[in-house]
Amino acid sequence: MNPSPFKFLDSYTKEDKDIFFGREAEVEDVYTKVFQGKILLVYGASGTGKSSLISCGLANKFQDSDWLPVEIRRGININDSLRQQLQKIMLTPVATSKNISFPKLLKSIYLDHFKPIFLVFDQFEELFIFGDREEEEKFIATIREVLDSDLQVRFIFILRGEYLEYLTDFEQVLPEIFGNRIRIEKMTRTNAVNCITGPCQSFGIEVEEHFSDNLLTKLSPSKTEIELTYLQVFLDRIFKKASEKAKEGKIVFSNTLLEELGNVGDVLSQFLDEQIELIPDSEKALALLKAFVSTDATKKQISLRQAAEFVKTIGQELNEKQVDILIQELVNRRILKDKDEAGRYELRHDSIAAKIFEKITTYERDLLEVNQFITYAFGEHDKRNFLLNESDLAYIAPYETKLNFPGPVREFIENSKTAVRKKKKLLEIEKEN
């Protein structure tokens, strides 16, 4: 079977130029913007293909002799990662490269390659999520030092739109930080059609009439915007299935094949399993995902703190920092949506929620129901001083030690027990009299 031409949009590289369709206008905009300042901010929602616009789209606007891209992820510390990536491309060893200033290091690299250097910081929001003030201040000082050196170096920062405001901390030292930026929007239905037909045309794949529209309707029946990741997942599955049925090497994307593929839930379930397996601690990742599913098997919005409390409830020893790291991994793998304005995360699709719900054990479901019951009861307590009765307490008793509630909820349960004991004692006294 030939390699699939369909993959995550943010994993395209310069070599994939023949299958990078539907984004030509955006690529042109990025190319124009990159020369309007030494710093370019590329931002937008997760899954909009920001990274691929740089690694594939922008890369193909340059001749190899016109630019030297250096891709950097934060890793443990963004300053150390930057130095490590630069040392990898050095041709002339510098004896004191561990201590040499970044301007001198970059100048040495420029003299090695004689190409303008583009420092591309992908998933730059990781600095704000996991970094501390000292790391951030050191990095800001480095950028300022490089900009003031007048070297042939440009910075491209790729980040999720919700973290754009965090860059205000840079403004005092880097007043130009917001001067040159471009927002990458979600893909429209029209461009999504190009993402289907363009690669098919390049690879000699026949596309049956109405196939593209039927696929997009199946994937997103009521929306004009398309979830790019899931489009790629569907196309990859269809390609593999069509390759198996190909006659005389002719691959056809037919409407019949689309129906045979099954519903969105079936395809996304396989995608979910594959992505979880790729996470080093897959068991804990799955446990965390269960926190984002309601007792009705639909997705629900919760905060980082609530997610951390949930995993403790079902017996996983994860602190809030570890939960945060896992959440970011799940966001990057297109399973969870970005954090909203209220600081809550949720699953990208109800079909994924339904599949995760199937993985929840009977005991875990009982815990979920008890947790939901107490949360509701505590809300009623706040409104009208409501307390749990003897039957309620008997219902939660088998699970009480497993539930990880904050102080006020624990106090509410204890006050309910005290009230029940007092009521029993009064009844006993009345009987005796």
Side-chain angles (χ1 to χ4, degrees):
M1 184 188 297
N2 293 327
S4 172
F6 304 102
K7 53 186 176 180
F8 284 148
L9 288 180
D10 61 357
S11 64
Y12 286 138
T13 64
K14 185 178 176 71
E15 288 68 34
D16 296 310
K17 61 181 179 180
D18 291 334
I19 54 175
F20 191 71
F21 290 89
R23 318 298 298 274
E24 291 84 358
E26 289 170 306
V27 170
E28 193 62 41
D29 288 342
V30 171
Y31 182 67
T32 301
K33 283 276 188 182
V34 83
F35 293 108
Q36 293 180 358
K38 288 291 187 73
I39 295 176
L40 173 63
L41 303 180
V42 181
Y43 67 100
S46 177
T48 52
K50 300 182 295 295
S51 300
S52 65
L53 281 174
I54 304 302
S55 60
C56 179
L58 180 61
N60 280 295
K61 297 291 288 185
F62 287 99
Q63 297 293 325
D64 287 338
S65 59
D66 293 339
W67 86 322
L68 178 64
V70 184
E71 295 184 3
I72 304 110
R73 284 281 297 276
R74 175 183 174 267
I76 302 299
N77 184 291
I78 197 166
N79 301 291
D80 296 338
S81 295
L82 172 58
R83 188 174 292 275
Q84 289 163 9
Q85 290 302 105
L86 293 177
Q87 287 172 336
K88 286 180 182 178
I89 61 172
M90 292 177 66
L91 300 180
T92 304
V94 178
T96 56
S97 61
K98 288 185 178 180
N99 301 313
I100 191 174
S101 71
F102 279 105
K104 289 183 179 178
L105 189 57
L106 287 162
K107 184 176 181 180
S108 176
I109 291 170
Y110 179 75
L111 293 174
D112 282 340
H113 296 270
F114 284 102
K115 300 178 185 180
I117 301 168
F118 289 76
L119 301 179
V120 182
F121 294 87
D122 197 8
Q123 296 186 28
F124 188 60
E125 67 274 2
E126 291 175 338
L127 174 61
F128 310 120
I129 298 169
F130 304 121
D132 55 29
R133 188 64 187 170
E134 181 182 354
E135 178 184 353
E136 187 177 309
E137 288 178 348
K138 185 177 179 181
F139 182 68
I140 293 171
T142 294
I143 300 173
R144 182 75 271 164
E145 190 179 13
V146 173
L147 291 175
D148 290 343
S149 69
D150 203 30
L151 289 166
Q152 290 292 313
V153 177
R154 295 180 187 274
F155 295 86
I156 299 176
F157 298 106
I158 306 170
L159 71 162
R160 305 206 302 260
E162 67 195 85
Y163 290 94
L164 194 65
E165 63 184 88
Y166 287 74
L167 286 166
T168 53
D169 291 342
F170 286 49
E171 278 189 297
Q172 188 172 355
V173 180
L174 300 166
E176 64 269 70
I177 190 71
F178 290 110
N180 190 29
R181 55 183 172 171
I182 183 168
R183 177 182 175 85
I184 307 304
E185 303 291 348
K186 290 186 177 180
M187 180 166 279
T188 64
R189 206 175 182 93
T190 300
N191 284 346
V193 170
N194 291 334
C195 276
I196 300 170
T197 58
C200 286
Q201 187 174 5
S202 285
F203 283 79
I205 300 170
E206 183 180 324
V207 181
E208 197 172 274
E209 189 177 4
H210 304 306
F211 171 86
S212 297
D213 287 334
N214 290 338
L215 170 56
L216 297 178
T217 298
K218 179 189 278 280
L219 188 62
S220 185
S222 59
K223 296 178 182 177
T224 56
E225 294 176 340
I226 304 300
E227 182 66 58
L228 292 179
T229 298
Y230 299 156
L231 174 60
Q232 296 305 108
V233 170
F234 261 78
L235 289 171
D236 181 63
R237 298 292 189 276
I238 291 167
F239 176 82
K240 289 174 181 174
K241 200 170 185 68
S243 296
E244 293 170 0
K245 296 191 171 191
K247 295 180 180 179
E248 298 179 357
K250 184 67 174 178
I251 298 175
V252 180
F253 279 11
S254 67
N255 293 300
T256 302
L257 191 65
L258 185 59
E259 289 304 313
E260 290 177 4
L261 195 66
N263 59 37
V264 174
D266 294 333
V267 176
L268 295 187
S269 176
Q270 188 177 352
F271 165 74
L272 174 68
D273 291 340
E274 289 170 354
Q275 293 304 304
I276 290 175
E277 286 179 10
L278 292 173
I279 298 174
D281 204 332
S282 56
E283 183 181 344
K284 289 180 179 176
L286 178 58
L288 175 60
L289 284 172
K290 293 174 182 178
F292 297 91
V293 181
S294 73
T295 53
D296 299 322
T298 57
K299 61 183 182 179
K300 68 177 182 181
Q301 295 179 317
I302 60 172
S303 67
L304 168 62
R305 180 185 58 78
Q306 290 170 320
E309 288 173 357
F310 175 88
V311 292
K312 287 181 182 176
T313 297
I314 61 173
Q316 290 289 343
E317 292 300 321
L318 287 170
N319 59 40
E320 197 163 303
K321 184 73 173 178
Q322 291 170 315
V323 170
D324 194 8
I325 291 171
L326 267 180
I327 283 177
Q328 299 312 316
E329 177 80 14
L330 293 166
V331 169
N332 292 336
R333 292 192 177 278
R334 314 294 189 256
I335 296 172
L336 291 179
K337 288 184 179 179
D338 293 338
K339 180 171 60 177
D340 66 12
E341 292 179 356
R344 298 169 302 183
Y345 298 89
E346 69 174 327
L347 293 163
R348 283 183 173 269
H349 206 287
D350 268 326
S351 293
I352 289 182
K355 294 303 174 182
I356 294 171
F357 186 76
E358 293 174 3
K359 301 175 187 293
I360 300 176
T361 65
T362 301
Y363 181 69
E364 288 171 341
R365 290 181 192 183
D366 289 342
L367 282 174
L368 278 172
E369 289 173 1
V370 172
N371 181 75
Q372 191 165 296
F373 169 77
I374 295 177
T375 300
Y376 174 79
F378 182 68
E380 290 298 301
H381 167 71
D382 270 357
K383 291 177 187 174
R384 52 191 179 90
N385 204 28
F386 168 86
L387 289 174
L388 300 171
N389 59 33
E390 187 175 1
S391 176
D392 295 334
L393 291 169
Y395 169 56
I396 71 171
Y399 311 96
E400 192 179 341
T401 57
K402 295 288 184 182
L403 295 170
N404 188 48
F405 287 113
V409 178
R410 286 284 176 194
E411 187 178 354
F412 160 63
I413 295 172
E414 291 304 317
N415 288 343
S416 297
K417 290 178 180 178
T418 301
V420 167
R421 285 196 295 267
K422 285 182 179 179
K423 186 176 181 179
K424 278 186 175 181
K425 195 166 185 179
L426 285 172
L427 288 173
E428 291 172 358
I429 291 172
E430 288 176 4
K431 284 182 180 179
E432 289 176 0
N433 295 334

